[in-house]
Amino acid sequence: NSKIGIGPYGESRNIYKGNNYLSLLNPKIRRDVHIGIDIFSEAGTNIKTPLNAKIIILENNASKYDYGPTVVLEHLISKEIKFYTLYGHLSKKCLKTLKVGQRLKKGQIFADIGNYPINGHWPPHLHFQIIIDMMEEKDNFFGVVENYLLSFWKKISPDPNLILNIPKSFFEK
């Protein structure tokens, strides 16, 4: 009877079956380790920005089992420090109401959780991910990676609970 569910960071999952989860480096290997946190909640649940931000990606990654409507925000902490947050599986409303380059204030509602099938053909949830380096990506960013490359990807996308601060008890079995 929970109102939300949590899909943890670093979890190996056998649900990623689409061809878009084949490794680009070795097509015999699947990307199956989740490097975001999923927050399962009702479609229409509002999403707020955790810090002041600028929208750098606004894209409908509409392939089956992709993110569906996706927003990536840039957070500039100082001249030397910036990072990004990715929000996947959103409703299409954000594609109409937002624009690349738009600035958002901390705590501002900017999107909401999308419903199946618009959200990439998944149950309603938010995929939230921190990204340190966008690696020249302009439309999308991996949220699921190969296990043998996990130590590398953890440096690029650290645990999003650094921002979310979800109590550890949510992750205990």
Side-chain angles (χ1 to χ4, degrees):
N1 295 322
S2 295
K3 293 188 187 235
I4 63 165
I6 305 291
Y9 172 80
E11 180 177 58
S12 182
R13 301 176 178 176
N14 64 3
I15 61 171
Y16 302 114
K17 302 293 184 193
N19 286 339
N20 52 328
Y21 291 101
L22 293 174
S23 172
L24 299 177
L25 300 174
N26 181 349
K28 294 180 181 178
I29 296 175
R30 287 191 134 344
R31 295 182 295 113
D32 65 355
V33 179
H34 189 251
I35 57 169
I37 286 182
D38 286 337
I39 301 172
F40 291 84
S41 189
E42 293 181 24
T45 301
N46 289 331
I47 310 298
K48 297 179 181 181
T49 181
L51 300 163
N52 291 341
K54 178 175 77 172
I55 299 169
I56 64 158
I57 294 178
L58 180 61
E59 190 73 33
N60 189 4
N61 295 296
S63 298
K64 193 171 186 179
Y65 307 125
D66 204 329
Y67 290 125
T70 308
V71 174
V72 176
L73 303 180
E74 177 185 82
H75 305 282
L76 188 60
I77 306 304
S78 70
K79 289 181 182 180
E80 298 84 27
I81 301 172
K82 72 177 169 183
F83 69 95
Y84 310 87
T85 50
L86 182 148
Y87 306 80
H89 312 298
L90 306 174
S91 78
K92 281 188 174 180
K93 282 190 265 182
C94 67
L95 301 174
K96 296 173 186 168
T97 60
L98 301 175
K99 63 183 181 202
V100 171
Q102 181 178 343
R103 299 208 177 264
L104 303 171
K105 295 282 187 194
K106 177 182 178 178
Q108 182 177 342
I109 295 170
F110 68 95
D112 63 340
I113 293 176
N115 209 348
Y116 176 94
I118 299 303
N119 69 357
H121 293 83
W122 298 101
H125 73 285
L126 169 69
H127 172 91
F128 177 73
Q129 183 173 339
I130 296 173
I131 304 166
I132 303 301
D133 185 338
M134 289 299 297
M135 302 187 317
E136 306 298 320
E137 186 55 56
K138 303 289 184 224
D139 300 319
N140 206 345
F141 200 89
F142 285 146
V144 178
V145 300
E146 300 92 331
N147 187 51
Y148 79 97
L149 295 174
L150 187 56
S151 63
F152 165 77
W153 281 105
K154 282 185 171 185
K155 293 174 185 165
I156 302 297
S157 281
D159 187 343
N161 210 32
L162 293 167
I163 290 176
L164 295 173
N165 291 313
I166 299 168
K168 291 184 188 245
S169 61
F170 276 82
F171 301 101
E172 295 171 356
K173 293 182 180 183

